[in-house]
Amino acid sequence: MNQQREFPDWEQLYQDKNVESMPWFNPDLDPDLDQALTQLNLHSSTALDLGTGPGTQAMALAQRGFKITATDLSATAIKKAQTIAEEKGLDISWKQDDILNSTLNQQFDFVFDRGCFHVFSPDRRPDYVRVVASLVKPNGYLFLKCFSHLQIHEEGSYGPYRFRPEEIEEIFSSQFNVLSVKETIYHGNMSPPRRALFCVLQKS
Ligand SMILES: C[S@@+](CC[C@H](N)C(=O)[O-])C[C@H]1O[C@@H](n2cnc3c(N)ncnc32)[C@H](O)[C@@H]1O
């Protein structure tokens, strides 16, 4: 499970393709995030959508009154999402940023990561945990959606890493309390939808 994987050149991908054709494109707010926000009674908080890609999650959160910053490694992804958000009249702070070497200097009530963490190789995970923890306010949350170990469709050296709940605990416990890890699906254009974990972590 921990062998090196191959991933697209993200910037090239966003230059070449229409975001709506991307497997992870989901115009609606992720239902697992929606449920978690309701359960935790989070309204109008500040939030970072990291690895925002098409920006649909950032836009859906902004429409619900959250104050959103959205970042991605790809400058083109950010440009495309910003254009759509402006057409919709949404006020979102967009920024090209590599989460592993982030230049953000702000802390958020929560960070949402839907599909970014699971592309990082095992040796970069400690950097990810350190940076993301530094971006979350004390007692704030990280909502993480990543592929699940139950996903068996993409064997071989391509595709996101897949995680067991106990691995999430192992990787994040130095900085976060893992409140819940739920087996779910990754909502998008994939048919059948890929198996995913939705994790609620609170900064310790
Ligand atoms: C599977 S896509 C998910 C996009 C979006 N979160 C969504 O749910 O539609 C993963 C995203 O992570 C971005 N990404 C990859 N490496 C990154 C990095 N080091 N820092 C920030 N974003 C990164 C990619 O450009 C891509 O948009």
Side-chain angles (χ1 to χ4, degrees):
M1 181 174 295
N2 278 346
Q3 79 272 30
Q4 286 294 124
R5 300 293 177 97
E6 288 164 28
F7 292 98
D9 174 330
W10 298 106
E11 174 56 18
Q12 197 62 53
L13 183 74
Y14 283 101
Q15 282 182 19
D16 292 349
K17 292 234 159 91
N18 182 331
V19 292
E20 292 181 12
S21 69
M22 294 181 180
W24 47 87
F25 183 82
N26 175 18
D28 304 315
L29 186 62
D30 184 282
D32 295 308
L33 177 65
D34 192 4
Q35 195 181 45
L37 295 174
T38 303
Q39 278 168 357
L40 294 165
N41 204 20
L42 289 175
H43 306 284
S44 65
S45 323
T46 58
L48 168 66
D49 181 28
L50 73 82
T52 192
T56 54
Q57 303 306 299
M59 291 182 228
L61 286 166
Q63 271 160 342
R64 288 171 184 228
F66 292 96
K67 194 165 174 12
I68 304 297
T69 297
T71 61
D72 200 279
L73 187 63
S74 161
T76 298
I78 291 296
K79 215 179 301 160
K80 287 186 175 183
Q82 183 168 15
T83 302
I84 294 169
E86 282 172 4
E87 282 164 10
K88 292 177 189 257
L90 294 170
D91 184 16
I92 293 171
S93 174
W94 300 98
K95 193 171 192 290
Q96 188 280 332
D97 189 61
D98 176 355
I99 192 61
L100 298 175
N101 291 293
S102 180
T103 58
L104 295 176
N105 56 5
Q106 188 188 340
Q107 286 194 316
F108 301 89
D109 295 314
F110 71 85
V111 170
F112 183 37
D113 175 340
R114 179 179 181 272
C116 187
F117 164 72
H118 70 187
V119 307
F120 297 132
S121 58
D123 60 312
R124 300 310 310 268
R125 290 178 195 153
D127 294 324
Y128 174 92
V129 174
R130 178 180 46 76
V131 174
V132 171
S134 76
L135 295 171
V136 178
K137 286 182 186 171
N139 298 317
Y141 297 94
L142 166 62
F143 300 110
L144 177 69
K145 186 162 256 194
C146 57
F147 273 16
S148 161
H149 65 113
L150 297 180
Q151 175 56 41
I152 53 168
H153 291 276
E154 284 170 319
E155 293 299 346
S157 63
Y158 187 80
Y161 291 88
R162 302 179 294 266
F163 294 89
R164 294 175 183 279
E166 55 272 25
E167 289 178 287
I168 298 297
E169 178 74 43
E170 235 169 74
I171 293 166
F172 286 92
S173 62
S174 61
Q175 303 273 3
F176 291 92
N177 292 318
V178 181
L179 301 187
S180 63
V181 179
K182 179 171 94 171
E183 294 284 356
T184 180
I185 58 167
Y186 197 105
H187 306 82
N189 286 329
M190 296 164 276
S191 182
R194 301 303 191 251
R195 305 292 295 266
L197 298 180
F198 182 76
C199 317
V200 178
L201 302 101
Q202 187 168 30
K203 189 165 155 182
S204 45

